[in-house]
Amino acid sequence: MTLERITEKNIDYAIQIQEELFPGESGRTNFEESMDESSGYEYFLLYEDGTCIGVIGIYSYPEDQNSAWLGWFGIREEFRRKKLGTTALKAFEEMAAARGYLFARLYTDAVNNEVAIAFYQANGYVSESYQNPLDPACMKYRTVIFSKSLTSRSLEFWNNRSIHLTEQIAKQEKYSKGFTYA
């Protein structure tokens, strides 16, 4: 599996893949931000045998330099159930560990998302619900956070610290096609 960083040359294709994986949502703002190397965001197209099979990203929050977050991760339908998602997730974990992160984290929908939830659990991630009154979107949009230790250190839960969900939704709504979380 190879990862190709999203750049100005391939961003339109990356958005096409992202929209295929997450209909009605838009990662354009995140992808554009990641082209500034000082942003702390990196997004990639995933390739297997020369064919694009999905997207994946890595980022962190300034207030927690111990955690690498998985962003816009998805495998195209025809490539699922072939262990490619697990391979890509392991690549994310290896990248995060190589950069000195102690924990791998992600968030996803808590409703009608049983396959993704089972996938993360099968790959050693532990879940916790996200409810932070200072991040109002989580009161409307049920979210679950998954975490995994990348070292022998015990897992430290996120404990409802902000994941900036409200800000992320605003970024998505800027380009989404009629999809809102309100």
Side-chain angles (χ1 to χ4, degrees):
M1 178 171 298
T2 58
L3 282 71
E4 178 184 309
R5 185 150 183 183
I6 295 175
T7 65
E8 286 184 29
K9 286 176 37 178
N10 62 13
I11 190 169
D12 290 333
Y13 183 61
I15 291 165
Q16 177 185 333
I17 299 299
Q18 174 268 301
E19 289 175 345
E20 174 186 324
L21 295 165
F22 306 97
E25 298 182 40
S26 177
R28 178 179 285 280
T29 301
N30 296 112
F31 294 170
E32 288 173 349
E33 288 174 342
S34 76
M35 289 188 271
D36 174 358
E37 300 213 4
S38 68
S39 72
Y41 294 89
E42 290 181 73
Y43 291 95
F44 304 89
L45 290 165
L46 295 166
Y47 284 88
E48 182 70 17
D49 297 326
T51 301
C52 183
I53 63 164
V55 294
I56 195 167
I58 185 171
Y59 64 96
S60 66
Y61 294 118
E63 59 268 31
D64 178 21
Q65 292 298 307
N66 290 326
S67 299
W69 287 80
L70 179 69
W72 287 111
F73 174 51
I75 301 295
R76 297 171 78 190
E77 184 69 38
E78 63 267 31
F79 299 102
R80 294 179 189 160
R81 292 165 190 72
K82 298 178 181 180
K83 304 290 183 197
L84 295 170
T86 297
T87 300
L89 188 60
K90 297 285 184 221
F92 160 77
E93 293 169 4
E94 290 168 6
M95 183 186 315
R99 294 175 183 189
Y101 292 106
L102 304 176
F103 307 106
R105 302 191 194 269
L106 64 104
Y107 66 86
T108 191
D109 301 350
V111 179
N112 299 322
N113 203 15
E114 294 79 15
V115 172
I117 289 169
F119 170 78
Y120 293 120
Q121 290 171 333
N123 280 283
Y125 284 76
V126 178
S127 66
E128 61 186 300
S129 66
Y130 177 62
Q131 295 181 345
N132 181 326
L134 300 176
D135 193 0
C138 75
M139 300 304 168
K140 297 177 186 175
Y141 183 62
R142 290 191 45 216
T143 303
V144 62
I145 295 174
F146 284 92
S147 302
K148 181 178 182 179
S149 179
L150 297 173
T151 68
S152 59
R153 184 173 175 169
S154 295
L155 178 62
E156 295 174 11
F157 286 96
W158 191 250
N159 289 324
N160 290 316
R161 291 178 283 162
S162 182
I163 59 170
H164 309 281
L165 185 61
T166 303
E167 295 167 32
Q168 176 58 29
I169 289 170
K171 289 178 184 181
Q172 290 182 46
E173 288 178 343
K174 181 177 177 182
Y175 290 106
S176 64
K177 295 179 172 92
F179 184 78
T180 65
Y181 292 97

